[in-house]
Structures are given as structure tokens and as C-alpha cells.
């Protein structure tokens, strides 16, 4: 039996690594990959909690709510990756760069 | 045996994620990320999420990473912007704060209650029943979101013509 704490530590490590990647890498594609890693870390936590859910005290039934959430997360991540990668392509076509430091027009 | 496999897969996932973020070449990053997602799929199997492990390999490691690889190859960086990892103190501070807070939260966690063994756990049957009974409205919302993403992708990737192109 895997302790829930260890699953949560794995999830937190993946999330923290993704956070470091978002803040440290300047290539927009690597920033997107880091965001996917953070989503993946959250998925690990959801599936871990799903395994240790307490059964419904009334009828003893267990619904896989956490796994359904992960299903939705994967769908949202796919949509996000498609749109964000097209934005990166448009950025490269227009400005000939994918370095996020070169695209700071909206920064105060 | 089960917990040993968990630590093997967890270590592999963390190691390949570190490599993803630290190698210079974006193509190698994508390859290491596929390894990271495959290792996470192994963790999912050990946590009784069999269908989601399959979806993880098919959708994440298959479809999404192929998309990333295609874009990396279309953008063709000509090695001029192949920069590596820059250690930034703010990023380490943010990640460290997050891990400390998470450690406190895990400390405060009550004793975990292992759920009753369910022979259907993680199978398509049980997941589909929950998805199409209790979660029909979110399911439809996600399908609209995917449709919107398709439309947005088509509009954004259209080559601009005439006076629109600057």
C-alpha cells in the first residue's frame, strides 16, 4: 500500500519543478512544457486523493470523482496546448523570436 | 513490490522532469517530457487509475507531445536561441515556499483511510458511468471548450493576406 503522503510529495515535487521551469526558461515552448508539467503534478494529487476517498457512509458506494476530474484536466490541457502553440507560431512569424523577454510590450 | 515500483516510477518521473527543464535542445526536452509522462502513467496504474494511464500515454505522451515536436521543428531555431537554464533566485524562492507550505499541509493531514477495494476501480465501465451520469454538464462544457480551441487554432494559424499583413 502506497502512503498518501508519498503520492502528495511526488505531486508537489512535479509542481515545484514546473514552477521553476516557468520562471527560469525564456523559450516560450519550454514555458508551455513547464505548464503541462504543473498540470501533470496536480493530476497525480487528484488520483492519489481518489484512491484514499472515504466511501459514502449511507450506501457504501464509491464514485471515482478524482479520476473524472483528471479526465477533464487532460482535455483542458490539450485545448490549452493547441491554442498556445499556435500563438507561439504566430509570434515567431511576426516577430521572428520565441524568447519571452523580447515580447514585453504589455509589461509596465 | 507495489510500493517499490511506485518509488521507481516516481524517481524516474522527477529525474526526467529535471532533465526536461535543464537540457539546452528543445527536442531533447520534448523527449524527456515523454519519458516523464510515461513514468507518471506507471504511477497512475499503481494508484488503480488504469483507464487514465492509457489516456495519459495516448493523449499526453502521444498527441500533445507530437504537437510540441512539430512546432519545435517548424520554428527551426537555427541554434541562435538555444539557451539553457538560468538559475533565478526568485524561482527557487517561489518553489521553496511552495514546498514548505505543502510539507506543512501534509503534516496536518489526518490519518489516511484506505478505501474499500472495488473490483471496478479505474475501469472504463465505472469511469464512464460517473462521467455520463453525475458529470454530464461539465462534459458538455469541455466539448464546447475543445470546439472553441479548434476554431481559435484555425483562425490564428490562417496566413494573413493583403492589407491585413503588416
Amino acid at each position: 500500500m502506497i502512503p498518501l503522503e508519498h503520492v502528495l510529495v511526488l505531486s508537489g515535487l512535479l509542481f515545484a519543478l514546473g514552477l521553476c521551469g516557468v520562471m527560469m526558461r525564456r523559450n516560450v515552448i519550454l514555458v508551455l512544457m513547464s505548464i503541462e508539467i504543473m498540470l501533470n503534478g496536480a493530476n497525480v494529487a487528484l488520483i492519489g486523493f481518489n484512491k484514499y476517498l472515504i466511501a459514502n457512509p449511507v450506501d457504501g458506494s464509491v464514485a471515482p470523482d478524482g479520476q473524472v476530474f483528471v479526465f477533464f484536466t487532460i482535455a483542458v490541457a490539450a485545448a490549452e496546448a493547441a491554442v498556445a502553440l499556435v500563438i507561439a507560431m504566430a509570434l515567431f512569424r511576426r516577430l521572428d523570436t520565441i524568447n519571452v523577454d523580447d515580447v514585453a510590450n504589455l509589461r509596465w | 513490490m507495489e510500493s517499490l515500483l511506485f518509488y521507481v516510477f516516481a524517481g524516474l518521473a522527477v529525474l526526467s522532469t529535471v532533465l526536461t527543464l535543464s537540457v539546452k535542445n528543445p527536442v531533447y526536452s520534448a523527449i524527456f517530457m515523454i519519458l516523464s509522462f510515461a513514468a507518471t502513467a506507471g504511477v497512475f496504474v499503481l494508484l488503480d487509475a488504469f483507464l487514465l494511464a492509457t489516456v495519459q500515454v495516448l493523449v499526453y505522451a502521444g498527441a500533445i507531445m507530437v504537437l510540441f515536436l512539430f512546432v519545435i521543428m517548424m520554428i527551426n531555431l537555427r541554434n541562435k536561441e538555444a539557451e539553457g537554464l538560468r538559475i533565478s533566485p526568485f524561482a527557487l524562492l517561489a518553489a521553496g515556499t511552495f514546498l514548505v507550505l505543502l510539507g506543512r499541509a501534509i503534516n496536518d493531514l489526518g490519518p489516511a483511510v484506505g478505501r474499500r477495494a472495488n473490483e471496478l476501480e479505474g475501469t472504463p465501465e465505472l469511469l464512464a458511468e460517473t462521467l455520463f451520469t453525475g458529470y454530464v454538464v461539465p462534459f458538455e462544457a469541455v466539448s464546447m471548450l475543445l470546439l472553441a480551441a479548434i476554431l481559435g487554432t484555425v483562425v490564428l494559424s490562417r496566413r494573413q493576406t493583403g492589407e491585413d499583413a503588416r
Side-chain angles (χ1 to χ4, degrees), chain B residues 1-165:
Chain B
M1 183 63 196
E2 192 189 329
S3 55
L4 181 73
L5 271 179
F6 172 77
Y7 296 119
V8 170
F9 280 128
L12 191 62
V14 171
L15 186 71
S16 52
T17 305
V18 170
L19 283 170
T20 304
L21 298 175
S22 53
V23 294
K24 277 194 164 131
N25 191 331
V27 179
Y28 293 159
S29 282
I31 302 288
F32 279 124
M33 203 164 149
I34 292 173
L35 184 62
S36 165
F37 283 148
T40 317
V43 171
F44 286 1
V45 168
L46 295 175
L47 292 173
D48 292 343
F50 305 112
L51 177 67
L52 284 171
T54 319
V55 170
Q56 172 95 351
V57 171
L58 285 180
V59 176
Y60 253 129
I64 295 183
M65 291 322 289
V66 167
L67 203 63
F68 269 98
L69 277 171
F70 258 115
V71 171
I72 290 169
M73 289 176 185
M74 280 168 88
I75 283 182
N76 183 21
L77 283 176
R78 302 183 294 271
N79 295 326
K80 67 171 180 179
E81 291 177 67
E83 46 86 45
L85 187 73
R86 273 191 330 200
I87 302 296
S88 129
F90 294 111
L92 292 180
L93 186 70
T97 313
F98 171 76
L99 284 179
V100 168
L101 288 176
L102 185 85
R104 292 294 302 274
I106 291 177
N107 242 346
D108 291 346
L109 207 66
V113 181
R115 66 191 295 173
R116 202 165 45 98
N118 183 346
E119 71 275 14
L120 281 180
E121 187 60 43
T123 57
E125 194 181 339
L126 185 65
L127 208 58
E129 197 194 319
T130 314
L131 191 62
F132 293 120
T133 52
Y135 290 90
V136 179
V137 178
F139 182 77
E140 292 298 331
V142 164
S143 73
M144 291 311 290
L145 177 79
L146 281 172
L147 182 65
I150 293 170
L151 288 179
T153 308
V154 170
V155 169
L156 279 171
S157 63
R158 224 173 26 183
R159 200 163 281 286
Q160 282 157 354
T161 52
E163 66 274 10
D164 195 25

